[in-house]
């Protein structure tokens, strides 16, 4: 072999070695890799999900989203945003609404610089949770609260308030009309997840926090549930309550009815009453989800 051929052979070997080292010929291509400190921010993956894993980019029309009679999985590549009525400089994606059979709405609100919320419909209660950025909540007496990522507020029906955003923020919002306005709370609640105590979960291994008081006057609660990789629900739940879920961190498998879905941070799930439900956390990091659950009312 002459010197020129030897040089070409060496260069080719180098190329092949680096191709194998970067993922191998048979392995799936890696998802888009982000660098920088922003990837370390809390819930960063929920608001910056991988919309098109690179090995699926050549499949136009591919989505993991599913809509069935008793459940729906709505993944970020199918979230459709439009201007939120009554809000300024805010776009929203309604992901769960009564058109599916739910008694509540769940939407994501993306607030821009100098944006302002509108009020919920008459008689509807509202819950907001900050997934990205920061907002200022002001009530009618002028009291303000700065809500950062992981902070939340419960706002009773017909409770005048405004949510202002100076830079940018992403909120997940739940609204519902209580079945009766008797004994409904009239005070707002403001808090943050890490201030809430871990609760007992007999027979289960996940960690549970509840963001709203458990007293009878509240007709729903918001649970924050944490699973380490490999942990799963012991109870194969079937119950009368409805759920709206946002996966904030991690990935795993959600069983809904007879279907088993791979899920990841940013996914939203609607669970109708009595849909069989089960979750197992996979991957290398903690799974955390936020879960709406109607409680404290006789279903009759
Ligand atoms: O409280 C619940 O119903 C909750 N464990 N359900 C769920 O995580 N799907
Ligand atoms: Mn459940």
């Amino acid at each position: 072999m002459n010197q020129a051929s030897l040089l070409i052979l060496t260069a080719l070997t180098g190329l092949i070695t680096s191709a194998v080292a970067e993922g191998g010929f048979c392995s799936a291509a890696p998802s888009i890799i982000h660098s920088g400190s922003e990837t370390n921010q809390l819930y960063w993956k929920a608001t910056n999900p991988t919309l098109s894993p690179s090995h699926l980019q050549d499949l136009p029309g591919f989505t993991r989203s599913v809509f069935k009679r008793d459940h729906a999985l709505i993944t970020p590549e199918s979230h459709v945003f439009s201007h939120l009525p009554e809000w300024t400089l805010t776009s929203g994606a309604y992901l769960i609404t009564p058109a599916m059979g739910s008694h509540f709405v769940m939407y994501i609100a993306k607030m821009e610089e100098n944006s302002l919320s509108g009020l919920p419909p008459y008689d509807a209660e509202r819950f907001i949770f900050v997934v990205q950025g920061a907002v200022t909540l002001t009530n009618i007496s002028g009291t303000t609260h700065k809500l950062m990522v992981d902070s939340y507020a419960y706002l009773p029906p017909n409770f005048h308030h405004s949510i202002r955003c100076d830079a940018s923020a992403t909120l997940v919002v739940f609204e519902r009309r209580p079945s009766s306005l008797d004994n409904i709370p009239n005070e707002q609640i403001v808090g943050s997840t890490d201030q809430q105590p871990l609760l007992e979960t007999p027979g289960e291994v996940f960690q549970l926090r509840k963001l709203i008081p458990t007293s009878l006057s509240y007709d729903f609660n918001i649970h924050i549930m944490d699973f380490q990789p490999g942990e799963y629900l012991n109870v194969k739940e079937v119950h009368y309550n409805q759920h709206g879920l946002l996966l904030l961190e991690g990935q795993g498998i959600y069983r809904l009815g007879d279907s088993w879905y791979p899920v990841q941070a940013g996914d939203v799930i609607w669970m109708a009453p009595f849909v069989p439900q089960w979750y197992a956390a996979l991957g290398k990091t903690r799974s955390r989800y936020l879960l709406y659950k109607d409680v404290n009312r006789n279903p009759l």
Side-chain angles (χ1 to χ4, degrees):
M1 198 180 293
N2 62 27
Q3 207 178 359
S5 319
L6 196 65
L7 272 176
I8 292 168
L9 191 66
T10 316
L12 274 175
T13 316
L15 273 178
I16 291 165
T17 316
S18 70
V20 171
E22 279 163 20
F25 292 116
C26 298
S27 65
S31 296
I32 298 158
I33 294 169
H34 300 270
S35 57
S37 61
E38 57 183 3
T39 51
N40 297 327
Q41 286 166 17
L42 199 58
Y43 308 141
W44 190 85
K45 280 203 167 174
T47 47
N48 295 276
T50 308
L51 293 184
S52 294
S54 47
H55 55 294
L56 297 174
Q57 268 169 6
D58 58 349
L59 288 180
F62 175 81
T63 177
R64 290 181 294 112
S65 291
V66 168
F67 175 59
K68 296 198 180 178
R69 185 198 63 78
D70 57 5
H71 67 268
L73 167 64
I74 308 179
T75 57
E77 74 280 355
S78 37
H79 294 182
V80 177
F81 286 85
S82 52
H83 174 71
L84 269 183
E86 280 116 36
W87 296 52
T88 57
L89 295 172
T90 305
S91 55
Y94 281 95
L95 301 172
I96 300 177
T97 79
M100 286 168 157
S102 66
H103 62 218
F104 65 95
V105 295
M106 173 178 176
Y107 56 99
I108 289 178
K110 287 194 175 167
M111 303 186 75
E112 295 168 27
E113 195 177 338
N114 297 326
S115 54
L116 193 62
S117 64
L119 286 171
Y122 191 66
D123 282 351
E125 48 192 343
R126 172 182 272 175
F127 177 89
I128 61 168
F129 181 94
V130 183
V131 190
Q132 175 264 320
V135 294
T136 304
L137 173 70
T138 307
N139 66 20
I140 200 159
S141 47
T143 313
T144 63
H145 291 274
K146 180 124 185 176
L147 303 182
M148 321 286 281
V149 173
D150 226 25
S151 310
Y152 61 86
Y154 166 82
L155 303 147
N158 307 322
F159 182 89
H160 279 266
H161 64 277
S162 68
I163 304 158
R164 177 173 289 283
C165 176
D166 295 336
S168 90
T170 306
L171 311 178
V172 55
V173 186
F174 296 88
E175 289 167 2
R176 74 172 283 195
R177 280 204 177 79
S179 46
S180 156
L181 286 178
D182 296 342
N183 305 320
I184 215 75
N186 52 17
E187 290 296 326
Q188 72 176 13
I189 291 171
V190 173
S192 89
T193 304
D194 57 4
Q195 288 166 359
Q196 303 313 309
L198 285 173
L199 302 174
E200 294 284 308
T201 53
E204 295 285 5
V205 292
F206 62 81
Q207 292 191 323
L208 173 66
R209 293 177 172 85
K210 294 187 181 178
L211 303 188
I212 293 180
T214 52
S215 56
L216 288 182
S217 45
Y218 297 91
D219 59 4
F220 71 92
N221 214 315
I222 301 290
H223 296 185
I224 299 288
M225 294 173 54
D226 294 341
F227 300 76
Q228 295 308 319
E231 292 183 345
Y232 53 86
L233 285 172
N234 276 320
V235 180
K236 282 62 75 173
E237 298 178 13
V238 177
H239 52 60
Y240 76 92
N241 323 73
Q242 313 188 0
H243 286 317
L245 179 156
L246 171 64
L247 192 53
L248 290 167
E249 293 180 338
Q251 53 182 221
I253 299 283
Y254 228 101
R255 178 192 174 163
L256 299 163
D258 290 336
S259 305
W260 303 69
Y261 301 104
V263 292
Q264 64 176 359
D267 289 353
V268 166
I269 296 176
W270 148 243
M271 290 176 247
F274 297 105
V275 67
Q277 56 198 258
W278 180 86
Y279 181 64
L282 298 172
K284 292 198 167 68
T285 56
R286 163 180 92 169
S287 278
R288 165 170 283 188
Y289 60 70
L290 176 152
L291 187 79
Y292 168 95
K293 182 174 187 176
D294 53 311
V295 292
N296 290 333
R297 295 293 176 273
N298 188 324
L300 189 59

